[in-house]
Amino acid sequence: MLRPSRSWFLGPMAENEGLLSELLIAAVKSHAEWRRSFRPEDPGLLPPCQTELQRDHAAAADLRREFGSLLKALHGSVPVFSARYNGHMLSEQTIASQAAYIATMLYNPNNVSAEVAPVTTRVEAEVTAQLADMIGFDSSRCWGHLTSGGTIANFEALWIARNILYHPVAALLAARTLGVDVSVELLDGARAPLGDLDLWQLLNLRPSSSLNLWEKLWLAAPGPDVEKALNSHSLATLGYQDYSRQLGAQFGDELPAGVVLAAGTSHYSWAKIVAALGIGSNQLVVVPVDIHCRMDPDALWREIESLSWDRIPIMACVSTCGTTEEGAVDDLQRILDVRARAEAELGVTFHIHSDACYGGYAASLTRAPDGSRHTAAAVREECGGTSWPTDQWVRSVSALENADSVSIDPHKLGYVPYPAGAFLLKDRRGRELVATDPPYLAVAASVNDEQPVMGRFIFEGSKPGAAAAAVWLSHRTIPLTTAGHGRLIAATLRGARDLHALLGSSDFSPFSVVRLPEPDLNIVCFLLHHPALETLAELNALNEYIYGELSPAAEKPPPYIITRTRLTSPAYDTVLQSLLSDLRGGGGSYVDSSGQGITVLRATVMNPFSDVDNAGYLLGLSDAVRRVAVGFLSYRSVNVDSDPGSLLFSAAST
Amino acid sequence: MLRPSRSWFLGPMAENEGLLSELLIAAVKSHAEWRRSFRPEDPGLLPPCQTELQRDHAAAADLRREFGSLLKALHGSVPVFSARYNGHMLSEQTIASQAAYIATMLYNPNNVSAEVAPVTTRVEAEVTAQLADMIGFDSSRCWGHLTSGGTIANFEALWIARNILYHPVAALLAARTLGVDVSVELLDGARAPLGDLDLWQLLNLRPSSSLNLWEKLWLAAPGPDVEKALNSHSLATLGYQDYSRQLGAQFGDELPAGVVLAAGTSHYSWAKIVAALGIGSNQLVVVPVDIHCRMDPDALWREIESLSWDRIPIMACVSTCGTTEEGAVDDLQRILDVRARAEAELGVTFHIHSDACYGGYAASLTRAPDGSRHTAAAVREECGGTSWPTDQWVRSVSALENADSVSIDPHKLGYVPYPAGAFLLKDRRGRELVATDPPYLAVAASVNDEQPVMGRFIFEGSKPGAAAAAVWLSHRTIPLTTAGHGRLIAATLRGARDLHALLGSSDFSPFSVVRLPEPDLNIVCFLLHHPALETLAELNALNEYIYGELSPAAEKPPPYIITRTRLTSPAYDTVLQSLLSDLRGGGGSYVDSSGQGITVLRATVMNPFSDVDNAGYLLGLSDAVRRVAVGFLSYRSVNVDSDPGSLLFSAAST
């Protein structure tokens, strides 16, 4: 069983301050030398006159003073480096990423284009290949890039998926305009002339068939005519309103609005994304989850069946690898199997996106140092020879290679600074369906063929090359295998499982603990209850109170920091039923009549050193929870007046 | 006339290396002390055993080696710090922003929420207030935040504008459902019951009236019922397809698709944005520009008139303050006047967004050190007592205060590192129309009332608090007045005007120079021509060649770096006509029959020290251009075969 190296991070007592300082000084020195050696014959800044000198000194003094006050203010930050912090998904950053970010930021490259960032656009391409290799995408056929974060990566996935879904309609109408015959591969493998397909069939072609059509049209009638013909029928050009009218006019049927399937546990950004893209949040179809907070494949099948009866097109199914609330990893292989069944039995297909923003780095645990896949048994051995991770876990994470697109945030479990999200698309041709030409940058594409202008294909424009360098150096020195990141993942998963076990075995009397099942990743959710708390509102008030006392905003500095989340109906129905049943087993008669849901405490165990000296911290955390809970009882006896239920409820629902 | 302080930047010969190093060392020390003093009683990392020690040393050695190779590779970066670089909008960064970014990045705060970034979310609120004060928004009524860049800021502007436009429809239908009467202010100031308005009137209410409706509904029927009623009729919930059907069903008329008005010079991100939002690029209506590349207000009026005849709703008009190709500043006040006239004469109104991503910082030149507005005469005095900037320029920049929303990129003319864009909304209530609740962060809103969870209202999620600190410290030490950023703006504008003048007076024989008019900001566009080059294709080949030789990708390191852009029809028709006429005056008989447009060379003069020792650099640049052009003539005589025209054309059009 391998452990993270002590020299990967600054350390809880800044043990590696010397190393970090050394690298930063080297970076400034190297950068300054570069400036001086660029054109040594050029004049530097002229010696200032007396007045200017005074002004310059005053300006420097100003800067020192204001900077000093910033440094002081920063001491009010949240101590995410400490094992005492188990709140959100923040932690230490690798020294490699810190040093590379800072060194590169001095040059301030803009990765929108190689013309302004010749070094870091190459670095970004390498980062994409590193991530592709980790999850199992063929880096010669896929495409990827870094984003400001997971929201934009997810946004691009759906933006592209939508354009791929609707592309065959534009292709058919363009082919007619151009007088060109093209054939298309159907779901059963047979080929048919494109013109023979009805609207429903057009909207149920595999992503690769849709993109083959695009390629065929370009080959059949090269030149600006194809572009024009495709554009004049595409959703991107027409917009939803005219596109719907086109469907009505051409096919006599607009079909219902297209939908996106996602589990109730999917990230809240999906609601923003479907609203912004004009898809509409009504079209975000919530698929129920099982007791492990994973998308229920049987429920998914039923949903698809019902949508197909109503002839509702499906743009994409979003599967999550690492829910941000519970660290659940969907059984992606079973979701892929459901799609295969839908293709065979219903003639229905769709893009599958894995939102692996949080959990994507878990795939590093399935990679041997030579890059090959570990067997599940080998993964378990790396994790300490336990019965965990299960075969199903390894299969779920390995299945990322079969998704159509994947988003992964290096700034979450990759332990690098913000901003660093990543988007990976399995079939790189899809990017052409969202391409734009930035006039003042298009040049570089011709000058520098191997590094096309990023800005053509991505939603964002300017973006820091420093972020790419940070991720790159981190991956170079801490590889995406069990020799590197696999160790970090193993450490944080072990830490979470230890906490989960401890919460199950500790004495919280007079309270009892109810836990969610063992997490797939490193987030532990649980709640405390007490026989005197008879309603769900009171129970929630207790756990809100515990959270409040153990949050960074607490009145006195808390000994440990955790956070909490609220599980509500219908997204969490299966989980709620199970929790309510556990709670009733403990004596209460809890029902969620008002739809308020259940507050659970939530601990994200990010500490990369959780395999060293962890027992003390875990005991400290559970003890802190218990002591705060006891405090609630006195708080309650002082604060509860004639109508305790309503008071507590109002405290809980703010 | 004030000049930028020498201590604001590292300097072309890294003159301030000592200051930067001093600040970075202080930052690491301060951070390390914070870690050590957080819980001094906690154990640090245990002393490693022998095997681990060896492994840790090997890991540190790995890091040093790989970091060294990164530092070396970075020397291949583009020298944006040098006065020899006049390519894209990249330059020096202020030392304040570098030091603050780095110091804060060590803490890695995530400004999605105060719960994980108590210090830097406050800092971000201050940055917003600084920018609001500069442009003249009332910081107690407006709202703003930082983004990863201009694209996202512009995206949010249109996302919100669309929701404000369509909100009255949802409000009317919600009011019916709730059985509530509300009145609304019409364009002429009269009030009417909401139910009396027809669809066209509903889609032509002022943004403030639309938001008043939202507020009134909440007051008339507080609670979840309003939310439900509004949601069930809103575009965000229904999506475009069902929303259009709703319009048809409720009003017997879906109306044509809503449009966005933008000049041909607007940033290419707008094309991405309308495509992604589902608006459709067909609905991006291009308003012609005048010879200065500014949106033509008369053409805008004609466009609005024609749209109103066709009953096409207008979502927004995008005016640009600082086009990225030519540095043109729209006459925003005249655009506002056109809207006022449209309201009075046509009963038509719309949201006005100023895309001031590039030029927004120019407003600092209109602010006296006490924050009051300078008169145009005072602005001219600050700029050196010349006849420039004109009254019209000052009025255009001051008019930002009357836009409904403004985007400004600190990472462009704010001289701070990527990523730092900003979005400002004049009436903060608009953010509620795009709000979402992130379940696991909603907590902080109640705990920490004065700092609502950013993630509820912004499109992105996680984002670096370090970026906020960088902008903040830069603004603190280099204020957004003529005491600070105004000096930088003045310096860069003077540099560009000097270059423009020099290009007009220099001897380029055997070539002649044609220039675009004096720029409103710091971008100079020009092209060379020669009597022997008879077609536009040949002319473009010349200027593409010059660009190629003076670009970072040139085979041998170029003595100066510039870039180029292509002006095409119809977006640039007025400009093209003028250029073609100037060129024909020089002897050729150029026509743009194939629609290829004209390549112009483009120099962005960002150097903050352009007021010191500038003449030599400018002469060097114009000399370099001339010498490369002469090289083209020999290149041409060697390379041109039997069909020179087509060869040159194919070279130019790649």
Side-chain angles (χ1 to χ4, degrees):
Chain A
M1 188 178 83
L2 291 166
R3 288 174 178 165
S5 163
R6 272 174 191 70
S7 63
W8 286 350
F9 296 94
L10 182 54
M13 293 290 163
E15 286 87 344
N16 288 311
E17 179 186 357
L19 179 58
L20 178 60
S21 297
E22 173 200 322
L23 299 179
L24 295 198
I25 290 166
V28 174
K29 197 159 162 260
S30 169
H31 179 79
E33 276 165 11
W34 176 69
R35 289 196 175 202
R36 290 190 192 112
S37 63
F38 170 62
R39 289 277 176 175
E41 71 275 22
D42 280 358
L45 296 179
L46 294 178
C49 67
Q50 197 54 39
T51 347
E52 283 176 333
L53 197 65
Q54 280 170 4
R55 228 170 13 87
D56 292 351
H57 279 162
D62 253 19
L63 175 56
R64 286 190 179 93
R65 194 187 58 248
E66 295 284 347
F67 186 65
S69 74
L70 174 66
L71 292 186
K72 205 170 155 191
L74 285 171
H75 285 197
S77 298
V78 179
V80 296
F81 65 88
S82 165
R84 293 171 180 269
Y85 182 80
N86 290 281
H88 292 290
M89 43 227 9
L90 285 104
S91 170
E92 286 271 34
Q93 312 148 70
T94 64
I95 287 186
S97 63
Q98 292 175 314
Y101 198 107
I102 292 166
T104 309
M105 201 189 78
L106 297 174
Y107 297 80
N108 204 27
N110 179 351
N111 269 22
V112 71
S113 148
E115 191 180 4
V116 285
V119 180
T120 48
T121 47
R122 278 202 307 274
V123 163
E124 184 167 342
E126 285 184 36
V127 167
T128 305
Q130 290 165 338
L131 291 170
D133 288 347
M134 174 177 72
I135 64 169
F137 273 11
D138 174 354
S139 58
S140 71
R141 293 194 58 240
C142 76
W143 175 66
H145 65 94
L146 295 181
T147 64
S148 63
T151 300
I152 301 299
N154 284 339
F155 173 86
E156 289 195 9
L158 197 49
W159 185 32
I160 290 179
R162 176 170 75 183
N163 284 3
I164 292 177
L165 168 73
Y166 287 113
H167 179 257
V169 172
L172 170 69
L173 299 174
R176 272 191 207 156
T177 308
L178 298 164
V180 168
D181 282 329
V182 278
S183 70
V184 65
E185 192 188 327
L186 303 178
L187 292 180
D188 60 5
R191 300 199 68 85
L194 182 59
D196 288 1
L197 272 59
D198 64 20
L199 180 55
W200 182 247
Q201 286 176 302
L202 288 170
L203 297 181
N204 280 288
L205 294 175
R206 287 200 189 89
S208 59
S209 300
S210 172
L211 292 167
N212 285 343
L213 269 178
W214 175 83
E215 206 168 314
K216 282 193 168 191
L217 268 179
W218 276 99
L219 291 173
D225 286 352
V226 184
E227 194 175 355
K228 207 176 141 193
L230 278 176
N231 280 351
S232 65
H233 298 291
S234 77
L235 175 63
T237 310
L238 295 173
Y240 262 118
Q241 289 174 282
D242 288 344
Y243 187 82
S244 295
R245 280 190 263 260
Q246 169 180 269
L247 291 186
Q250 297 281 346
F251 302 91
D253 183 1
E254 295 186 8
L255 290 188
V259 299
V260 177
L261 296 163
T265 47
S266 63
H267 192 250
Y268 74 97
S269 64
W270 289 102
K272 292 197 263 194
I273 292 166
V274 292
L277 282 165
I279 294 168
S281 30
N282 275 354
Q283 273 67 249
L284 188 65
V285 175
V286 175
V287 180
V289 294
D290 66 16
I291 180 75
H292 298 279
C293 296
R294 304 173 193 142
M295 181 185 275
D296 179 346
D298 297 327
L300 174 65
W301 167 257
R302 287 191 298 272
E303 201 59 71
I304 295 169
E305 226 178 1
S306 145
L307 291 167
S308 100
W309 290 332
D310 296 335
R311 288 172 69 86
I312 296 175
I314 302 170
M315 269 178 224
C317 171
V318 176
S319 166
T320 309
C321 176
T323 61
T324 49
E325 303 303 300
E326 315 83 6
V329 174
D330 281 352
D331 191 334
L332 180 55
Q333 191 50 55
R334 285 197 61 200
I335 291 168
L336 289 156
D337 293 345
V338 167
R339 179 174 69 176
R341 185 179 164 200
E343 292 179 353
E345 296 182 22
L346 306 172
V348 164
T349 192
F350 44 83
H351 182 107
I352 291 185
H353 174 73
S354 174
D355 179 347
C357 286
Y358 188 53
Y361 275 81
S364 62
L365 205 48
T366 70
R367 293 285 174 197
D370 67 0
S372 65
R373 279 269 193 225
H374 270 310
T375 60
V379 173
R380 281 190 284 274
E381 198 171 322
E382 295 285 354
C383 287
T386 65
S387 62
W388 190 89
T390 62
D391 288 1
Q392 186 250 316
W393 189 97
V394 175
R395 188 186 61 188
S396 303
V397 171
S398 304
L400 286 172
E401 69 184 35
N402 296 317
D404 295 305
S405 58
V406 174
S407 46
I408 302 181
D409 279 359
H411 66 206
K412 291 196 171 91
L413 278 172
Y415 293 89
V416 307
Y418 302 106
F423 172 64
L424 296 165
L425 179 67
K426 186 190 243 157
D427 185 334
R428 72 160 54 127
R429 298 173 300 172
R431 68 183 183 182
E432 295 291 346
L433 298 186
V434 296
T436 333
D437 276 306
Y440 64 102
L441 290 168
V443 215
S446 57
V447 174
N448 219 334
D449 265 343
E450 78 285 3
Q451 295 163 54
V453 179
M454 185 70 83
R456 284 195 67 216
F457 305 116
I458 67 173
F459 190 67
E460 296 174 287
S462 298
K463 58 192 198 129
V471 182
W472 177 83
L473 191 67
S474 204
H475 290 176
R476 286 284 290 185
T477 53
I478 308 174
L480 296 172
T481 66
T482 44
H485 274 274
R487 294 190 213 167
L488 290 173
I489 294 287
T492 176
L493 299 197
R494 277 197 299 268
R497 294 174 64 80
D498 288 350
L499 175 60
H500 190 269
L502 184 78
L503 290 172
S505 63
S506 296
D507 179 12
F508 279 86
S509 58
F511 300 92
S512 307
V513 163
V514 170
R515 301 166 298 163
L516 256 59
E518 272 186 346
D520 293 328
L521 294 173
N522 60 346
I523 301 174
V524 179
C525 292
F526 63 102
L527 73 159
L528 262 60
H529 62 111
H530 185 280
L533 306 174
E534 290 171 5
T535 67
L536 211 51
E538 288 180 294
L539 206 62
N540 285 340
L542 164 65
N543 289 286
E544 294 286 345
Y545 180 89
I546 298 172
Y547 158 72
E549 295 292 304
L550 297 180
S551 98
E555 258 179 67
K556 56 177 190 179
Y560 285 85
I561 295 172
I562 55 172
T563 179
R564 65 94 159 90
T565 191
R566 181 78 67 107
L567 309 180
T568 52
S569 176
Y572 284 90
D573 275 349
T574 314
V575 184
L576 285 173
Q577 275 175 357
S578 161
L579 283 180
L580 287 171
S581 143
D582 284 356
L583 287 167
R584 282 193 288 261
S589 56
Y590 305 106
V591 283
D592 184 17
S593 50
S594 64
Q596 64 186 292
I598 300 181
T599 294
V600 295
L601 299 169
R602 178 170 161 268
T604 313
V605 184
M606 291 280 286
N607 176 16
F609 303 112
S610 72
D611 55 342
V612 184
D613 195 39
N614 201 37
Y617 284 115
L618 295 186
L619 281 171
L621 171 57
S622 64
D623 186 52
V625 169
R626 200 191 64 82
R627 280 199 287 157
V628 168
V630 169
F632 174 76
L633 293 182
S634 5
Y635 161 86
R636 182 171 172 263
S637 66
V638 174
N639 286 275
V640 170
D641 61 7
S642 54
D643 187 2
S646 82
L647 178 101
L648 286 163
F649 174 68
S650 77
S653 64
T654 47
Chain B
M1 187 178 84
L2 291 166
R3 288 175 178 161
S5 165
R6 271 173 191 69
S7 62
W8 286 351
F9 296 94
L10 182 53
M13 294 289 164
E15 286 87 344
N16 288 311
E17 180 186 355
L19 178 58
L20 179 59
S21 298
E22 172 199 323
L23 299 179
L24 297 198
I25 291 165
V28 174
K29 198 161 161 256
S30 169
H31 179 79
E33 276 165 11
W34 176 69
R35 288 196 175 202
R36 290 189 193 111
S37 63
F38 169 62
R39 289 277 176 174
E41 71 275 22
D42 279 359
L45 295 180
L46 294 179
C49 65
Q50 198 55 37
T51 347
E52 283 175 334
L53 198 64
Q54 279 170 3
R55 227 169 14 89
D56 292 352
H57 279 162
D62 253 19
L63 175 57
R64 285 191 179 92
R65 194 187 57 247
E66 295 283 346
F67 186 65
S69 73
L70 174 67
L71 292 185
K72 205 170 155 191
L74 285 170
H75 284 199
S77 298
V78 179
V80 297
F81 65 89
S82 166
R84 292 171 179 270
Y85 183 81
N86 291 279
H88 292 290
M89 44 231 1
L90 284 104
S91 170
E92 285 272 36
Q93 313 147 70
T94 63
I95 288 187
S97 63
Q98 292 175 313
Y101 198 107
I102 292 166
T104 308
M105 201 190 79
L106 298 173
Y107 297 81
N108 203 27
N110 179 351
N111 269 22
V112 70
S113 148
E115 191 181 4
V116 284
V119 180
T120 49
T121 47
R122 279 202 307 274
V123 163
E124 184 167 343
E126 283 184 36
V127 167
T128 306
Q130 290 165 338
L131 291 170
D133 288 347
M134 174 178 72
I135 64 169
F137 274 11
D138 175 354
S139 58
S140 71
R141 291 194 59 239
C142 76
W143 175 67
H145 66 94
L146 295 180
T147 64
S148 63
T151 300
I152 301 299
N154 285 338
F155 173 86
E156 289 194 11
L158 197 48
W159 184 34
I160 290 179
R162 175 171 76 183
N163 283 4
I164 292 177
L165 168 73
Y166 288 112
H167 178 256
V169 172
L172 170 68
L173 300 174
R176 272 192 208 155
T177 308
L178 298 164
V180 168
D181 282 328
V182 279
S183 71
V184 65
E185 192 188 325
L186 304 177
L187 293 179
D188 60 6
R191 300 199 68 85
L194 181 60
D196 287 2
L197 273 58
D198 64 22
L199 180 55
W200 183 247
Q201 286 176 302
L202 288 171
L203 297 181
N204 281 288
L205 294 175
R206 287 199 188 90
S208 59
S209 300
S210 173
L211 291 168
N212 285 342
L213 268 178
W214 174 82
E215 205 168 315
K216 281 191 169 193
L217 268 180
W218 278 98
L219 291 173
D225 286 352
V226 184
E227 194 176 353
K228 205 176 145 195
L230 278 175
N231 281 351
S232 64
H233 298 292
S234 77
L235 176 62
T237 309
L238 294 174
Y240 262 118
Q241 289 174 282
D242 287 343
Y243 187 83
S244 296
R245 281 191 260 260
Q246 170 180 268
L247 290 185
Q250 297 281 344
F251 300 93
D253 183 2
E254 294 186 9
L255 290 189
V259 300
V260 177
L261 297 163
T265 48
S266 62
H267 192 250
Y268 75 96
S269 64
W270 289 102
K272 291 197 264 195
I273 292 167
V274 291
L277 283 165
I279 294 168
S281 30
N282 275 354
Q283 273 66 250
L284 187 65
V285 175
V286 174
V287 180
V289 294
D290 66 16
I291 180 75
H292 298 279
C293 297
R294 304 173 194 142
M295 181 184 275
D296 178 347
D298 296 328
L300 174 65
W301 167 256
R302 287 192 298 273
E303 201 59 70
I304 295 168
E305 227 178 358
S306 147
L307 291 167
S308 100
W309 290 332
D310 296 335
R311 289 173 70 86
I312 296 177
I314 302 171
M315 267 177 227
C317 171
V318 176
S319 168
T320 309
C321 176
T323 61
T324 48
E325 305 302 300
E326 316 83 7
V329 174
D330 282 352
D331 191 335
L332 180 55
Q333 190 51 56
R334 286 197 60 202
I335 290 167
L336 289 156
D337 293 346
V338 167
R339 179 175 66 176
R341 187 178 162 202
E343 291 179 355
E345 296 183 21
L346 305 172
V348 163
T349 193
F350 44 83
H351 182 108
I352 291 185
H353 173 73
S354 175
D355 179 346
C357 284
Y358 188 53
Y361 275 81
S364 63
L365 205 48
T366 71
R367 292 285 173 197
D370 67 359
S372 65
R373 277 270 193 224
H374 270 311
T375 62
V379 173
R380 281 191 284 275
E381 199 171 322
E382 295 284 354
C383 288
T386 67
S387 61
W388 191 91
T390 62
D391 288 2
Q392 185 249 315
W393 188 97
V394 175
R395 188 186 59 190
S396 303
V397 171
S398 304
L400 286 173
E401 69 185 35
N402 296 317
D404 295 305
S405 57
V406 174
S407 45
I408 301 180
D409 279 358
H411 68 206
K412 290 195 170 92
L413 278 171
Y415 292 89
V416 306
Y418 302 107
F423 172 65
L424 295 164
L425 180 68
K426 187 190 244 157
D427 185 335
R428 73 160 53 130
R429 297 173 301 172
R431 69 184 181 180
E432 295 291 346
L433 298 186
V434 295
T436 335
D437 276 305
Y440 64 103
L441 291 167
V443 216
S446 58
V447 175
N448 219 334
D449 265 342
E450 79 285 3
Q451 294 163 54
V453 179
M454 185 70 83
R456 283 196 67 215
F457 304 116
I458 67 174
F459 190 67
E460 297 173 286
S462 298
K463 58 193 197 125
V471 182
W472 177 83
L473 191 67
S474 202
H475 289 176
R476 286 285 289 185
T477 54
I478 308 173
L480 297 171
T481 67
T482 45
H485 274 274
R487 295 191 212 168
L488 290 174
I489 293 288
T492 176
L493 299 197
R494 277 198 299 268
R497 293 173 65 81
D498 289 350
L499 175 61
H500 190 268
L502 184 79
L503 290 172
S505 62
S506 296
D507 180 11
F508 280 86
S509 58
F511 299 91
S512 307
V513 162
V514 169
R515 300 167 299 164
L516 257 59
E518 272 185 345
D520 293 328
L521 293 173
N522 60 345
I523 300 174
V524 179
C525 292
F526 63 103
L527 73 160
L528 263 58
H529 62 110
H530 185 280
L533 305 174
E534 292 172 4
T535 65
L536 210 52
E538 289 180 292
L539 206 64
N540 284 340
L542 164 65
N543 288 286
E544 294 285 346
Y545 180 89
I546 298 172
Y547 157 71
E549 296 291 304
L550 297 180
S551 96
E555 259 178 63
K556 55 177 190 178
Y560 286 83
I561 294 171
I562 55 172
T563 179
R564 65 95 160 89
T565 191
R566 183 77 66 106
L567 308 180
T568 52
S569 177
Y572 284 91
D573 276 349
T574 314
V575 184
L576 285 173
Q577 275 175 0
S578 160
L579 284 180
L580 288 171
S581 144
D582 285 357
L583 287 167
R584 282 191 289 262
S589 57
Y590 306 106
V591 283
D592 183 16
S593 50
S594 65
Q596 64 186 290
I598 300 181
T599 293
V600 296
L601 299 168
R602 177 168 162 270
T604 312
V605 185
M606 291 280 287
N607 176 15
F609 303 112
S610 73
D611 55 341
V612 184
D613 195 40
N614 202 38
Y617 284 115
L618 295 186
L619 281 170
L621 171 58
S622 64
D623 187 52
V625 168
R626 200 191 64 80
R627 281 200 286 158
V628 166
V630 169
F632 174 78
L633 292 181
S634 3
Y635 161 86
R636 183 172 172 261
S637 65
V638 173
N639 286 277
V640 169
D641 62 8
S642 54
D643 186 2
S646 81
L647 178 100
L648 285 164
F649 176 67
S650 76
S653 63
T654 48

